[in-house]
Amino acid sequence: MAATGVLDEIVDTARYPLESPDSVGWRTAVDAARADLAESGCTVLREFIRPELVETLRAQGEDMAPHAHYEVERVNAYNIPLDTELPQDHPGRIVLERGNAFVPRDRIPVDALIHRLYTSAAFQRFVADCFDLPELHEYADPLAGLCLNVVAPGMSHPWHFDTNEFTVSMLTQLPEAGGVFEYCPGIRSPHAENLADVRDVLTGSGERLIRKLELRPGDLQLFQGRFSLHRVSPVSGGRQRHSAIFAYTDRPGVIGTVERTRQLFGRVLPEHVAEDRLVRGDRLLD
């Protein structure tokens, strides 16, 4: 009953009956999400959070944002070292500037809406079903498990691929202008990098491959970001763009690498140093 109470309080359970996995409403929502994911690798569950809580969602994110680690750095779309030996025309040699910042899980209050949602077993079961997975597990990583992605005016989250095969996120604050989520559905596969198409997007000649998505605070976005190149375009105006990143995996015990953790959060913890547990299911660049 306690878990159901949390969901009823936070989620529009009339549209998304997370406490009733055998209901018609559940099946309708899941089938729609699966169809979108099959077609474009992305789906948006509109107004997932109750409308009366959207301002609370925004305000809580604003309170967390000062805890973000800021470090503008030069990266590539694969988040691999810039001195990696690659062919001359490889898109991994194209250098981008990453200016977004992340609030780590240990700076997010346990009573925050996004934390309560992230740890809900019913929410996890629903998301797993949308991705057609038997189950999901929270990241064991004490920093990367749940984050707030902060993009300040003048900054962007440049073109990149995700480490994980699926991404769960929720916009919590819109910027005044810019900050559009853009993506290239299925631009690569587990068996093919499709370097020419990736290079076209990175050099500005791949507009035909790009989709733009209008997101609103409280919408839940499910995305297959390992195979779809994507970015948040530069933010402008006087307000930051905030989005919660709910990190799940299809197996337990996953912890990020030391290098990647230091890149995103500016620090590592003993759990990261002890063991690199992130095992890939493919041979794609990261």
Side-chain angles (χ1 to χ4, degrees):
M1 291 298 294
T4 300
V6 168
L7 292 174
D8 282 341
E9 180 184 340
I10 298 174
V11 177
D12 183 352
T13 51
R15 298 178 63 186
Y16 307 107
L18 273 62
E19 77 286 357
S20 304
D22 297 321
S23 67
V24 173
W26 172 294
R27 194 73 264 151
T28 298
V30 167
D31 286 349
R34 287 186 183 181
D36 287 345
L37 288 165
E39 190 273 327
S40 66
C42 182
T43 188
V44 179
L45 285 70
R46 298 292 184 185
E47 298 180 347
F48 193 80
I49 297 295
R50 290 187 176 278
E52 62 269 24
L53 288 179
V54 169
E55 174 55 25
T56 300
L57 185 72
R58 187 207 63 77
Q60 290 179 347
E62 190 171 49
D63 288 344
M64 299 171 204
H67 296 292
H69 170 68
Y70 288 90
E71 183 178 348
V72 177
E73 60 181 337
R74 299 168 74 245
V75 297
N76 55 40
Y78 302 95
N79 288 307
I80 58 175
L82 296 182
D83 60 359
T84 300
E85 188 172 339
L86 298 170
Q88 190 64 36
D89 63 346
H90 195 288
R93 295 176 66 93
I94 298 173
V95 178
L96 309 167
E97 187 175 272
R98 186 181 72 81
N100 63 304
F102 290 95
V103 177
R105 182 174 183 175
D106 64 356
R107 295 292 185 270
I108 296 176
V110 296
D111 60 349
L113 294 177
I114 60 173
H115 193 283
R116 295 168 66 192
L117 194 59
Y118 175 66
T119 57
S120 164
F123 177 71
Q124 294 169 16
R125 184 172 63 243
F126 175 76
V127 170
D129 204 7
C130 288
F131 281 116
D132 200 10
L133 295 170
E135 60 183 359
L136 286 179
H137 302 271
E138 295 176 30
Y139 249 40
D141 193 303
L143 300 182
L146 173 66
C147 307
L148 187 76
N149 189 5
V150 177
V151 187
M155 299 296 179
S156 71
H157 193 173
W159 291 111
H160 65 284
F161 291 103
D162 289 340
T163 297
N164 208 17
E165 290 187 11
F166 49 87
T167 304
V168 183
S169 64
M170 178 177 290
L171 190 72
T172 65
Q173 177 170 281
L174 275 168
E176 289 181 3
V180 177
F181 183 83
E182 302 179 353
Y183 69 111
C184 308
I187 197 170
R188 70 175 182 176
S189 75
H191 313 291
E193 292 279 8
N194 295 329
L195 300 178
D197 283 347
V198 175
R199 186 169 55 249
D200 282 351
V201 173
L202 298 182
T203 57
S205 58
E207 188 66 29
R208 70 191 185 281
L209 301 167
I210 300 172
R211 297 190 187 187
K212 299 182 181 182
L213 188 61
E214 178 189 350
L215 294 169
R216 299 185 296 266
D219 292 344
L220 181 68
Q221 181 185 8
L222 309 181
F223 182 57
Q224 294 169 329
R226 184 146 178 78
F227 308 120
S228 297
L229 189 67
H230 55 289
R231 73 167 183 168
V232 174
S233 68
V235 167
S236 58
R239 188 168 58 239
Q240 297 176 338
R241 181 190 193 272
H242 297 162
S243 59
I245 311 295
F246 306 90
Y248 299 112
T249 64
D250 57 0
R251 58 191 181 280
V254 174
I255 292 179
T257 64
V258 168
E259 180 180 0
R260 184 70 169 143
T261 300
R262 186 172 284 116
Q263 181 187 51
L264 295 180
F265 303 109
R267 60 191 170 103
V268 296
L269 299 178
E271 293 90 334
H272 302 105
V273 177
E275 184 179 1
D276 178 6
R277 306 179 190 178
L278 195 56
V279 179
R280 296 284 176 267
D282 55 55
R283 295 187 178 183
L284 296 172
L285 287 178
D286 207 7

